[in-house]
Amino acid sequence: EGQVEAGIKMIDDALESNPESADLWHVSGLASIRVRDLESARASFEKALEIEPGRVETYNQLARIYAASGQLDKALEQYVRASKERPDDATIRHFLGVLYEMTGNAIKAGEEYERALQLNSNLAETKNNLAYMMAEEDRDLDRALKLSQEAKAALPDSASAADTLGWVLYKRGVHSAAIGYLREAVTVAGSEDMAIGEIRLHLASAYEATGDSAKALETLEAAIGDIDALRRSGKLGKGDSAPWEARVRSGIERLKASG
């Protein structure tokens, strides 16, 4: 209800009388996030885990704090700890895969995604991520197609799922079908999604593969406009470059040079 200070005082009073409650320390961490005191939030979540090491939701929050501050190694460390506490938790395995992928360890990421699916074969996001990795590596594209189709069916409104299915189809040489899914991904993602440039790169590749260089160039030029939208939204700093910007500009130069 917006009465943040009153809420924090209630939590502090409760902790004073019950300092060994992992639940209260977790709530204290959430309250600190609410007032953007990430250092206090980190300390509260760590205290909750000290009392009750198996709290998956607390590992999630702590890992997010580290990831938000660019400390992916520490976020990964939290999930490794969580996986030891809960070795058969498919969700933990999924997030371990995500963090390994973010830190550039594709082999470990793939292993964790596979383990997650062994534990729970219905994890659509895991199927999507694994299929995308397989497409990037040009590996077992038949299975990648099956996984991406299942992910798309389970996540019909997901730009990521549409992009993955389109990219797998492109890698399999089914370029016209790929274009349909990749155009859908562009529409769903919108110009303020940090992944929009990557999706447009995929779509441009599919257009170029069908011989439509004009559409490919138009698609990449639209990605430059997306950079301005990301800056206006605050998702990209004024002087920062998007992670895909250099590849987009290189593609534009190449297409213009080729006529």
Side-chain angles (χ1 to χ4, degrees):
E1 295 180 349
Q3 300 180 55
V4 180
E5 290 184 7
I8 289 175
K9 185 178 185 309
M10 291 175 68
I11 296 165
D12 289 343
D13 289 346
L15 277 171
E16 191 173 336
S17 59
N18 191 4
E20 295 304 310
S21 170
D23 284 339
L24 283 173
W25 281 111
H26 181 86
V27 172
S28 177
L30 294 177
S32 294
I33 289 176
R34 179 72 173 76
V35 295
R36 300 183 183 277
D37 185 352
L38 297 186
E39 185 57 32
S40 293
R42 180 193 59 76
S44 294
F45 290 135
E46 287 182 348
K47 181 65 176 177
L49 288 173
E50 179 185 317
I51 297 167
E52 190 180 328
R55 295 178 63 88
V56 175
E57 67 274 24
T58 304
Y59 280 113
N60 286 343
Q61 292 294 340
L62 192 53
R64 286 192 185 105
I65 289 172
Y66 284 130
S69 61
Q71 297 175 288
L72 291 177
D73 54 337
K74 289 190 176 182
L76 183 58
E77 193 178 289
Q78 293 304 316
Y79 273 100
V80 169
R81 283 178 59 195
S83 70
K84 291 176 181 177
E85 294 290 339
R86 304 274 290 274
D88 295 327
D89 190 307
T91 301
I92 289 175
R93 295 291 174 182
H94 168 81
F95 283 112
L96 256 178
V98 170
L99 286 167
Y100 277 125
E101 194 172 356
M102 290 173 71
T103 52
N105 193 334
I107 292 175
K108 291 290 288 183
E111 289 174 356
E112 293 299 342
Y113 287 145
E114 294 283 11
R115 178 63 176 150
L117 289 176
Q118 288 172 8
L119 293 166
N120 183 350
S121 61
N122 296 317
L123 292 177
E125 289 187 6
T126 308
K127 292 178 181 180
N128 181 66
N129 292 8
L130 182 57
Y132 187 86
M133 284 184 60
M134 295 167 79
E136 287 287 276
E137 297 165 2
D138 289 310
R139 172 172 60 87
D140 199 354
L141 294 178
D142 287 341
R143 183 170 177 233
L145 178 61
K146 182 176 184 295
L147 288 170
S148 60
Q149 287 172 329
E150 290 174 355
K152 181 69 172 72
L155 303 167
D157 300 321
S158 166
S160 177
D163 176 52
T164 296
L165 179 52
W167 194 228
V168 171
L169 288 166
Y170 167 81
K171 290 285 189 166
R172 286 171 58 89
V174 192
H175 302 133
S176 295
I179 287 171
Y181 286 108
L182 293 169
R183 288 178 63 181
E184 176 189 342
V186 167
T187 300
V188 174
S191 60
E192 294 183 3
D193 189 315
M194 279 298 294
I196 187 63
E198 200 71 49
I199 298 171
R200 289 199 194 274
L201 279 163
H202 294 164
L203 179 56
S205 295
Y207 277 133
E208 195 172 359
T210 63
D212 196 341
S213 296
K215 276 285 191 183
L217 179 58
E218 179 185 315
T219 298
L220 292 181
E221 288 177 333
I224 299 302
D226 294 328
I227 294 170
D228 292 333
L230 286 166
R231 287 185 177 135
R232 285 194 301 271
S233 71
K235 292 183 178 178
L236 191 65
K238 188 176 181 180
D240 295 338
S241 297
W244 34 261
E245 184 175 346
R247 284 176 292 140
V248 167
R249 293 189 185 278
S250 175
I252 290 171
E253 289 178 11
R254 180 179 55 78
L255 287 166
K256 284 183 175 179
S258 65

